[in-house]
Amino acid sequence: MKIIKSLFISIIVLSLTNYSFADSFTDIIQDLATQTACIGTYSATQAGGGWYDDPYDYYTPDMMAERFKNMSGNMTRTITFYGVCFDYAEFAYWDIDDYISLYNKEGMRESQYFLAGVDSDPNMITLSRPSDYQNHTTIQNGVYIETYGSSSYRNVKTHKMTNGTRATHHAWLWIMRNDGVWFWIDPTWTDNLGYVVYGYVDNGEEIQLRPDKELCINYPNYLYDLPLPPKWGKELAPSKSTTASSSNATSTTSSSSNSANNSSSATIYLGVGYIGPLSFEESEKTNSISFFNFSKCGFELSSESGGVFETFFVVAAFDYLIDHTNNKSVDSWLTGLYWGYALLPIFEPYIGSCIGMKWNDTFSSENIGFAWKLNCGFRIELDSICLRADLSYGTILGVTGTIVIGLSYF
């Protein structure tokens, strides 16, 4: 057994230092997966499954001892960790961050590398980065994490486990090749399964690719049936920004980058709202604003884009307005569009208008008239929920206020 292990160590060190692959980009990201797997040990207890034993640790530090020694210079120790999937992903992230010029040289797109995570829904992946207290939007595993509004959320199916189900409650890494194609590596599963688990994003799904056999301890037969990486397409032009939101803009050109476009799906919200008048009502005792006056009010349904136009967004609204006060009996239907711009990730002002028809008493050709409404407001996006508030003026209700809550459905 020692002879076999020593032989493997020699092979993997040789392959990592001297072997040249046809695709330098997939070479270096597979290398990153194995390197991270070597310095990590998975803890089932810390993952919340203390009733199970830890999975077998296929990749260990001694498999890369020679390489780690050269990397550390005068420091002869190797920093290892005993943790969960987030720790594997974060260690891989910081390796790219430390050697970004090398990864760029081998084909990575600028600074397009992110932590990828999934909760209970295997059809929604969140991209994020380690951050600091001032800029963080959440805390994960004790680490400050920053997301980038709706552009951080991708309607992409996660990669599959060996039993065919898709990953949930998991963390790994997304890295963009300089032709706009997103790739992913999973150092945790690499360590637990004994072979490199990696792939690319195509048609809204993480596709697992065939790993290089020289980097694998195990090599089940099904790995031979996995596809090879997509061919390298035309390199994208330099971009002005390298945040998660800019990755959509840079994921264009060439047929091989279509997978990146598909993975950059926008979040669409379905909104329901209440429209109330802001006029003053006089009474013998007091003056008050009659916002919740259900004889003179309206209701709105909307479909709202998240990141489909990067910093711009569009709201398609459908309003039903009534005024049944003071012997009136006016009903109306209006449709319209609102256009907005995201000044900040959680503050998005917009303007818009609606047009439609009104009718008195009964709906007939004699009673139909023209109705309109102009409005302005702002929207706040909070993960899968968006909140919207605006002021408007129109022919049916006069000055009104609108409150809308939207839930993401795509």
Side-chain angles (χ1 to χ4, degrees):
M1 189 66 183
K2 290 183 178 180
I3 295 175
I4 295 175
K5 187 174 183 179
S6 298
L7 179 61
F8 172 75
I9 294 171
S10 300
I11 292 173
I12 196 170
V13 170
L14 181 63
S15 66
L16 292 174
T17 54
N18 299 319
Y19 197 87
S20 177
F21 297 98
D23 186 336
S24 60
F25 177 77
T26 56
D27 174 0
I28 198 169
I29 64 173
Q30 288 188 78
D31 177 43
L32 175 60
T34 56
Q35 175 181 306
T36 308
C38 282
I39 62 176
T41 303
Y42 190 82
S43 170
T45 301
Q46 289 171 282
W51 53 91
Y52 295 115
D53 292 332
D54 290 343
Y56 186 77
D57 187 27
Y58 281 95
Y59 292 87
T60 57
D62 61 327
M63 294 179 180
M64 286 195 176
E66 184 68 24
R67 185 181 195 191
F68 290 147
K69 182 188 74 173
N70 294 333
M71 290 173 60
S72 60
N74 294 329
M75 184 177 68
T76 57
R77 68 180 181 272
T78 298
I79 304 300
T80 61
F81 63 89
Y82 179 52
V84 295
C85 56
F86 179 85
D87 299 303
Y88 283 86
E90 187 191 11
F91 265 72
Y93 174 93
W94 287 119
D95 188 86
I96 298 178
D97 199 70
D98 290 339
Y99 301 99
I100 187 170
S101 59
L102 173 61
Y103 284 91
N104 288 146
K105 180 182 177 181
E106 300 302 330
M108 183 179 74
R109 168 72 171 171
E110 297 175 347
S111 297
Q112 296 299 300
Y113 54 99
F114 297 94
L115 301 174
V118 62
D119 292 322
S120 58
D121 183 1
N123 301 308
M124 177 65 71
I125 295 173
T126 303
L127 302 186
S128 61
R129 277 179 167 157
S131 185
D132 52 30
Y133 177 78
Q134 288 76 16
N135 298 306
H136 83 285
T137 52
T138 186
I139 297 176
Q140 187 170 355
N141 205 38
V143 177
Y144 291 122
I145 296 298
E146 181 178 7
T147 55
Y148 302 91
S150 60
S151 61
S152 283
Y153 302 97
R154 307 301 174 92
N155 297 101
V156 175
K157 297 178 181 179
T158 61
H159 49 287
K160 293 181 179 180
M161 304 173 66
T162 53
N163 63 6
T165 61
R166 296 191 180 276
T168 56
H169 303 291
H170 191 51
W172 61 103
L173 218 64
W174 269 30
I175 311 163
M176 183 187 283
R177 198 168 63 182
N178 61 20
D179 61 351
V181 178
W182 281 109
F183 284 77
W184 56 270
I185 60 169
D186 191 331
T188 310
W189 288 8
T190 297
D191 201 15
N192 295 345
L193 296 175
Y195 52 84
V196 180
V197 180
Y198 90 114
Y200 77 115
V201 180
D202 184 37
N203 290 322
E205 179 181 1
E206 287 189 332
I207 305 297
Q208 187 174 352
L209 294 173
R210 188 189 313 172
D212 191 296
K213 195 172 183 179
E214 296 294 334
L215 298 177
C216 302
I217 301 173
N218 287 334
Y219 211 82
N221 289 332
Y222 90 90
L223 296 180
Y224 290 103
D225 299 326
L226 295 178
L228 294 173
K231 293 182 179 180
W232 216 312
K234 181 181 178 181
E235 184 174 344
L236 300 178
S239 64
K240 296 180 180 180
S241 173
T242 54
T243 65
S245 58
S246 72
S247 63
N248 293 338
T250 58
S251 300
T252 56
T253 78
S254 85
S255 59
S256 65
S257 67
N258 287 338
S259 60
N261 292 328
N262 292 329
S263 68
S264 301
S265 301
T267 302
I268 304 298
Y269 299 94
L270 178 63
V272 179
Y274 172 78
I275 305 170
L278 296 179
S279 59
F280 282 92
E281 287 187 343
E282 295 185 5
S283 65
E284 295 180 357
K285 296 182 178 180
T286 183
N287 293 334
S288 61
I289 296 178
S290 58
F291 184 71
F292 291 103
N293 181 352
F294 296 107
S295 295
K296 184 179 181 180
C297 65
F299 300 93
E300 180 172 295
L301 290 176
S302 65
S303 180
E304 312 181 14
S305 68
V308 66
F309 298 119
E310 304 297 335
T311 52
F312 291 95
F313 65 92
V314 174
V315 178
F318 183 73
D319 292 357
Y320 172 57
L321 308 177
I322 63 171
D323 184 356
H324 294 171
T325 60
N326 299 325
N327 298 320
K328 291 182 180 179
S329 181
V330 180
D331 295 70
S332 64
W333 297 103
L334 294 89
T335 60
L337 289 176
Y338 312 149
W339 296 267
Y341 183 83
L343 291 177
L344 297 171
I346 60 171
F347 181 71
E348 304 173 343
Y350 63 88
I351 60 173
S353 63
C354 293
I355 59 173
M357 66 177 71
K358 65 177 181 178
W359 62 94
N360 298 318
D361 297 320
T362 59
F363 186 80
S364 63
S365 57
E366 295 83 5
N367 293 329
I368 292 177
F370 179 71
W372 56 267
K373 185 183 76 167
L374 300 175
N375 63 323
C376 65
F378 68 93
R379 188 177 74 166
I380 297 175
E381 288 190 43
L382 301 171
D383 295 337
S384 60
I385 297 175
C386 73
L387 304 175
R388 183 159 54 82
D390 71 38
L391 293 174
S392 64
Y393 178 78
T395 54
I396 306 301
L397 301 182
V399 179
T400 60
T402 303
I403 300 174
V404 178
I405 182 170
L407 300 177
S408 64
Y409 69 95
F410 176 74

